[in-house]
Amino acid sequence: MSMIIEDNAKDPATYFWGPRTSTLDWCEENYAVNHYVAEFWNCVTNVMFVALASSGLHSAFKYRQAKRVIAYYAAMSFVGIGSLLFHATLKYETQLLDELPMMYLATLALYSVIEIDKRTKFGAKVPIALAAGMLGVTLIYIFWIQNPVFHQVAFALTVISTVAVSCKRESEMQLSNRTKRILRRQLYAGVLGMLGGFLVWNLDNIFCQQLRTYRTRLSSPLDVLLQLHGWWHILTAYGCMSLLLWVHFLRIARLGHDSLFTIKRRFIILPYVTIATPKKVE
């Protein structure tokens, strides 16, 4: 599941950020586009994480949503920034800035659905337990098991737990058909985005040499379409945002405010929670 591809065409000693120290190096050729950026397309595609998270943050602040909602949209933006820095430098320190915030984001979403009500049910027990778990994963990953597969499995289990608890919460509630449709759209979009991203991520790993050959034949700008790790960023950004909107709207429904809100899009591509527009009465 991990990826190391050496670039024989360039001398690592000439890299702007110096030789790679990360435990991962993806299929995009290093410093092929820009002297200052190791993996240019893998870097810039992370802007999608920041743009989507900013749309969610704007909505959360505008409608004075709970701090946990603000926290997980902010965490999503940090995921994008950390990943951008990692792909720009291919350093171990920035790799951690990419990978660990993914875990923290998933944990924040998990906390949000466990403590979905306005008043917390378990007090400090849940945040302490989740924080201890994340601290343990962090220390193990940094000092003991530095294999990226450990991080990937831990992240996947946290996301699966979040989806499972969210489904349970949804099954406990009496929801209107409209609210069910809104929630289902976000859940399906989130799952499809994450699975689609996982598919192209694996294709990028397995068929890297062939993809590099095809990119050389296509040349710029069409070769960008075969930067599959960049597509992983775009698809998982949408998948992540859709799941966060699902969790967000689920809590709105839990508080009984779902008839007042809906989910719309800015500039077609940026979904967000907003006040529902009442229908005109003829």
Side-chain angles (χ1 to χ4, degrees), residues 99-119:
E99 294 174 329
L100 293 177
M102 293 169 59
M103 291 291 306
Y104 306 151
L105 167 59
T107 303
L108 283 169
L110 179 57
Y111 169 75
S112 185
V113 292
I114 292 174
E115 290 286 19
I116 195 170
D117 296 309
K118 192 169 185 179
R119 292 180 180 275

Side-chain angles (χ1 to χ4, degrees), residues 5 34 69 75 90 105-106 113 134-136 153 162 199 202 210 214 221 223 243-244 251-252 257 280:
I5 293 291
N34 189 286
V69 176
L90 291 180
L105 167 59
V113 292
M134 284 303 98
L135 178 61
V153 171
T162 303
L199 173 63
N202 277 287
Q210 295 92 321
Y214 296 150
D223 59 326
L243 291 177
L244 290 182
R251 186 169 192 273
I252 288 173
H257 301 153
K280 293 183 179 179

Side-chain angles (χ1 to χ4, degrees), residues 238-271:
Y238 271 104
C240 177
M241 184 63 178
S242 296
L243 291 177
L244 290 182
L245 285 169
W246 178 45
V247 171
H248 186 175
F249 206 84
L250 190 63
R251 186 169 192 273
I252 288 173
R254 183 77 167 200
L255 298 179
H257 301 153
D258 46 312
S259 62
L260 303 177
F261 289 89
T262 189
I263 294 176
K264 294 185 179 180
R265 293 177 180 270
R266 294 186 181 93
F267 314 113
I268 303 176
I269 62 172
L270 301 177

Side-chain angles (χ1 to χ4, degrees), residues 10 15-18 29-38 88-89:
K10 288 182 178 291
Y15 291 170
F16 179 79
W17 296 102
E29 296 83 351
N30 296 342
Y31 295 94
V33 176
N34 189 286
H35 174 68
Y36 304 102
V37 180
T89 63

